[in-house]
Amino acid sequence: MALIEVRGVSKVFGPKPQSALPLIAEGRSKAEILAETGHSVGLREIDLDIEAGQIFVVMGLSGSGKSTLIRHLNRLIDPTAGEIRFAGDDILTYDIKALLEFRRSKMSMVFQHFALLPHRTVVDNVAYGLEIQGVGKRERRARAEEWLETVGLAGYGPSLPDELSGGMRQRVGLARALCTDADVLLMDEAFSALDPLIRSDMQDQLAALQARLRKTIVFITHDLDEALRLGDKIAILKDGALVQVGTPADILLHPADAYVESFVRDVNRVRVLTAETVMKPPRLRITTENLDEALRQVRASPHDFAYVQTADGGGYGVVTQEGLEQARRSRTSLKDLTHELPSVQPGQALEEVLPVALQSQFPLPVVDESGELQGVVTKKAVIGVVADQAEARAARAEAAEGDVEPQPSEPPAA
Amino acid sequence: MDIFMDFGPVIADAVNRAIDDLVIRHGDDFEAFSNVMLAVLVGIEGWLRSLPPPVVLAAAAAAAYAASRRLTLALGAAAGLWLIGSLGLWQQAMQTVAIMGVAVGLSMLIGLPVGVLMARSDRVRAAVLPLLDLMQTIPSFVYLIPAAMLFGLGKVPAILATVIYAAPPLIRLTDLGIRLVDAEVLEASRAFGATRMQMLFGVQLPLALPNVMQGINQTMMMALAMVVIASMIGARGLGETVLLGLQRNDSGQGALGGLAIVALAIVFDRVTQAVGVRLQSRAARRG
């Protein structure tokens, strides 16, 4: 069971929201419904599963309903129809008291424009969530100082928010959200207001924090690069409807429709995709020291080479059938026969794998942290990724200007 | 042809009957209320008048300095009060300050909650706004007549009249200040599970403070503007000085009273403005 389950959630803004629901069910467009009933559709029949411990990115342009969606998760906005469950609990049945408790202990939030309290010092801003919960001054300040240190702002406690730069302010926002130790972190365009360099810094810091804290993070962004960089899973929203949900590789390699395609076409895939996403299942791996047995195994396999672990740490090499046959005569050991290969980590970007793969005459072994052979990356697979994109680009260039491309629409923000 | 109906006597009779009725049925309640207010006012007035003037001057200077951190303003405030004393109107000024203080306090007591309610509900706002317009435009004498009947002549109706005239700007600016609070900041407070009270006292009122301060300043100025009218129903103080000048055709005395009122107004205005400016600059530095 997913930590957060969203089922059939629709949101309509207007005086009689229920009246637009049948039209949504009929699949009428946002513009039609607005023209017909004067109601603005924020979300239409959203189903999502957000697993604990992952960074779940919701991506969409402005007006796509992504900010509306994230506000449903802590009920800053209530849906017109549908269900939202947290750890199996239907949060829509919560009364005020239960809802406040839920917001205090389970969810915290980071905002696009930081939303710090300008009249309070940095440390009191960070401690705000605890203050709401009634934690004593001494304790909440001590905990706030710890989080300030974690986000790299030790010593800034007594400053006022307006004395800090944008990036620093958002770190305060992050520390404030982390300080309540909630299970889920909702981040609403948290880095969008920052300069590119600082944004990339903050992304790194968030990734590093997440590696340590293993929170469930729901991250909203309009920036695909950011989504691909941070997301374990990405959901793409358009006009309030989900277009695609999947891993970054899914989105890049198998865009669900022309709209997603239009987003991903200019992404540098070699930079974003990892060895994992193109690797093939592992080929034959020889574990015996016996040459005859090894040769038998290689002959039985469809390939004329096999992988051999050369060191406990996870170095791998190959032995060829030809080599084995010669070695049986000359009585060399398996180790001496082995042709050592550079190994690749599953998470390594293809950008780094590409040059190595091109130089190697054998598929490169993909080895995980524990030294296990996960699979192999062939030259062809890597080149395929590059060629696909180049081909698509060439095809687009060829197609005349009259080509109708899916235009990301910009309806009024809900 | 006469197209007009004759509402006049009907309304006038109805109002007269209602007031008479109030006097007959609730006269004791009004008197009790009146006595409480009077006790508070007399207490404050007596205390102010018993203070040695140098202490008051020093206190004014200290307050001005605390509000502005400017020595010139501190000296100016003391000088303003010294001028009033030198005009021979010290006692009257203290009476006026007492009436004004109670009126402003009462205005805040009423105005802040009403402003908060208005900010919270558009319906309340729609209902209160015309009432505020009425309070600010209807001539004071209209409600001074029944007020004098209900509370007797003297300080209490003077204070009530002052509150009716002076509270609206505070109410309006409290409403405005709260409505201008950054929606995202308020949302953050909600997202962390704040109750409505925690939002009001932790976020909305502190952030609305520069505007509320402006409202208090306006209320003070309008309260001072009412002192002459208030003196007509028996409130003592600087207004009475002006009134006496008018009754005795003594322009000189009128000028003295006017000068003292202006001096008092300047002192109060500058000090509360300074508080507002400091709050404002703190608010403006964000963003």
Side-chain angles (χ1 to χ4, degrees):
Chain A
M1 184 183 66
L3 182 64
I4 303 172
E5 296 166 287
V6 177
R7 291 287 172 271
V9 164
S10 293
K11 176 67 185 178
V12 179
F13 296 98
K16 279 184 179 173
Q18 295 290 339
S19 66
L21 287 177
L23 298 176
I24 290 179
E26 281 171 31
R28 306 279 285 279
S29 80
K30 190 171 171 159
E32 281 174 350
I33 295 176
L34 183 66
E36 196 163 315
T37 67
H39 285 77
S40 171
V41 178
L43 294 174
R44 47 200 308 156
E45 295 170 341
I46 302 282
D47 290 308
L48 277 183
D49 285 298
I50 299 172
E51 303 287 343
Q54 65 177 198
I55 299 188
F56 191 99
V57 176
V58 179
M59 209 212 78
L61 299 177
S62 61
S64 63
K66 54 193 191 304
S67 289
T68 307
L69 176 60
I70 201 175
R71 280 165 178 72
H72 278 75
L73 303 182
N74 60 357
R75 283 191 57 193
L76 288 177
I77 299 179
D78 280 341
T80 310
E83 278 177 44
I84 302 165
R85 283 193 292 274
F86 179 87
D89 248 18
D90 184 354
I91 66 168
L92 296 177
T93 61
Y94 286 176
D95 58 10
I96 287 284
K97 215 176 143 204
L99 182 60
L100 289 183
E101 189 49 41
F102 174 69
R103 286 177 184 159
R104 289 174 184 188
S105 61
K106 306 291 187 211
M107 297 266 169
S108 58
M109 199 159 175
V110 183
F111 294 83
Q112 180 172 8
H113 302 291
F114 327 129
L116 300 176
L117 300 164
H119 60 298
R120 288 161 166 255
T121 59
V122 164
V123 68
D124 282 337
N125 262 289
V126 175
Y128 184 68
L130 296 177
E131 184 185 333
I132 294 286
Q133 296 172 23
V135 176
K137 193 167 196 165
R138 185 187 292 253
E139 191 195 335
R140 66 179 192 243
R141 284 219 167 137
R143 278 163 70 181
E145 290 286 0
E146 276 173 39
W147 282 111
L148 274 177
E149 202 173 324
T150 306
V151 300
L153 287 180
Y156 283 95
S159 310
L160 282 172
D162 54 9
E163 291 161 1
L164 306 185
S165 69
M168 288 161 101
R169 275 187 243 179
Q170 193 56 302
R171 283 179 203 204
V172 177
L174 188 59
R176 175 174 69 175
L178 290 168
C179 196
T180 60
D181 202 23
D183 302 336
V184 179
L185 210 57
L186 304 175
M187 303 185 70
D188 181 21
E189 299 247 22
F191 303 152
S192 300
L194 303 175
D195 298 334
L197 273 180
I198 293 166
R199 187 187 313 168
S200 137
D201 241 27
M202 291 292 287
Q203 288 165 353
D204 290 344
Q205 189 169 24
L206 182 67
L209 267 174
Q210 170 66 354
R212 196 151 67 81
L213 300 172
R214 289 274 143 217
K215 296 270 179 195
T216 306
I217 300 179
V218 183
F219 194 101
I220 300 285
T221 182
H222 61 259
D223 176 357
L224 183 67
D225 287 326
E226 186 166 71
L228 294 169
R229 188 161 175 188
L230 290 174
D232 294 312
K233 260 205 170 162
I234 299 174
I236 296 182
L237 271 180
K238 185 200 174 193
D239 291 347
L242 266 186
V243 183
Q244 187 172 9
V245 184
T247 62
D250 283 342
I251 306 271
L252 276 182
L253 296 176
H254 315 289
D257 64 7
Y259 181 74
V260 181
E261 163 74 38
S262 73
F263 266 116
V264 302
R265 67 162 60 124
D266 291 321
V267 172
N268 188 346
R269 292 175 197 199
V270 184
R271 189 171 289 170
V272 176
L273 291 178
T274 56
E276 220 168 7
T277 57
V278 297
M279 79 184 176
K280 299 275 187 317
R283 303 270 168 85
L284 177 62
R285 182 185 160 196
I286 291 173
T287 46
T288 175
E289 289 283 322
N290 184 319
L291 289 179
D292 293 332
E293 173 60 16
L295 187 58
R296 196 189 60 74
Q297 286 182 11
V298 174
R299 280 181 176 150
S301 84
H303 300 285
D304 59 355
F305 58 92
Y307 287 82
V308 180
Q309 187 162 18
T310 55
D312 290 338
Y316 282 84
V318 287
V319 289
T320 58
Q321 191 174 334
E322 195 185 341
L324 280 170
E325 277 161 359
Q326 283 173 11
R328 210 155 50 134
R329 276 174 254 132
S330 60
R331 295 272 155 215
T332 1
S333 78
L334 193 62
K335 274 228 163 79
D336 295 335
L337 283 175
T338 308
H339 180 72
E340 187 93 30
L341 286 176
S343 46
V344 173
Q345 287 143 24
Q348 218 169 343
L350 288 186
E351 191 176 38
E352 294 170 35
V353 176
L354 184 67
V356 191
L358 289 179
Q359 277 173 19
S360 167
Q361 66 183 103
F362 296 102
L364 296 175
V366 180
V367 182
D368 68 12
E369 283 162 16
S370 56
E372 281 302 306
L373 184 65
Q374 293 288 311
V376 297
V377 175
T378 64
K379 213 181 289 188
K380 205 173 141 195
V382 181
I383 292 170
V385 170
V386 181
D388 271 358
Q389 192 163 20
E391 207 174 283
R393 207 169 273 159
R396 272 201 316 279
E398 244 169 70
E401 284 119 41
D403 193 12
V404 181
E405 294 195 349
Q407 285 297 324
S409 53
E410 291 268 359
Chain B
M1 192 180 72
D2 190 7
I3 58 166
F4 297 115
M5 311 239 330
D6 199 12
F7 286 153
V10 184
I11 292 174
D13 284 350
V15 171
N16 281 331
R17 263 203 310 280
I19 297 295
D20 287 346
D21 202 45
L22 273 179
V23 173
I24 292 162
R25 286 204 204 171
H26 300 288
D28 292 345
D29 300 336
F30 281 106
E31 203 176 325
F33 173 77
S34 176
N35 287 338
V36 172
M37 291 228 348
L38 202 59
V40 172
L41 181 66
V42 168
I44 293 174
E45 193 184 309
W47 177 70
L48 276 174
R49 290 172 69 174
S50 71
L51 288 174
V55 173
V56 179
L57 259 58
Y65 185 75
S68 68
R69 310 277 151 170
R70 291 205 327 259
L71 216 53
T72 45
L73 188 67
L75 289 175
L81 293 188
W82 176 83
L83 174 71
I84 294 170
S86 304
L87 294 172
L89 294 172
W90 184 260
Q91 294 298 329
Q92 287 89 331
M94 290 303 110
Q95 287 172 333
T96 293
V97 170
I99 290 179
M100 195 194 77
V102 173
V104 170
L106 212 55
S107 296
M108 286 167 64
L109 224 55
I110 298 165
L112 288 174
V114 173
V116 168
L117 288 177
M118 277 173 77
R120 199 161 267 187
S121 149
D122 286 335
R123 214 175 281 177
V124 172
R125 187 165 198 260
V128 172
L129 276 181
L131 198 66
L132 295 183
D133 293 337
L134 186 79
M135 285 161 74
Q136 287 186 293
T137 49
I138 196 166
S140 321
F141 292 107
V142 175
Y143 48 81
L144 278 177
I145 305 164
M149 280 181 73
L150 290 170
F151 301 105
L153 287 174
K155 298 177 168 104
V156 174
I159 284 177
L160 291 181
T162 307
V163 168
I164 289 174
Y165 184 65
L170 177 61
I171 297 175
R172 286 184 208 274
L173 282 160
T174 303
D175 168 46
L176 178 75
I178 290 177
R179 281 174 188 264
L180 286 180
V181 169
D182 185 348
E184 204 185 30
V185 175
L186 199 61
E187 191 177 42
S189 169
R190 256 180 97 202
F192 281 98
T195 61
R196 290 173 75 158
M197 283 297 142
Q198 283 172 326
M199 283 191 264
L200 180 65
F201 289 105
V203 181
Q204 290 174 301
L205 281 180
L207 295 189
L209 211 52
N211 277 307
V212 172
M213 210 48 227
Q214 193 67 36
I216 291 174
N217 170 278
Q218 292 289 304
T219 295
M220 278 184 175
M221 293 305 103
M222 295 181 81
L224 274 178
M226 276 292 281
V227 295
V228 177
I229 291 174
S231 71
M232 290 183 178
I233 48 169
R236 311 286 302 274
L238 293 173
E240 197 188 17
T241 309
V242 177
L243 189 69
L244 286 178
L246 182 70
Q247 287 167 344
R248 295 174 187 162
N249 195 12
D250 182 347
S251 301
Q253 190 172 14
L256 288 188
L259 212 55
I261 291 172
V262 169
L264 212 51
I266 290 175
V267 171
F268 275 106
D269 178 59
R270 290 305 133 95
V271 173
T272 50
Q273 287 277 16
V275 176
V277 165
R278 272 166 58 94
L279 290 170
Q280 200 87 48
S281 68
R282 202 169 71 184
R285 269 190 298 153
R286 82 191 145 105

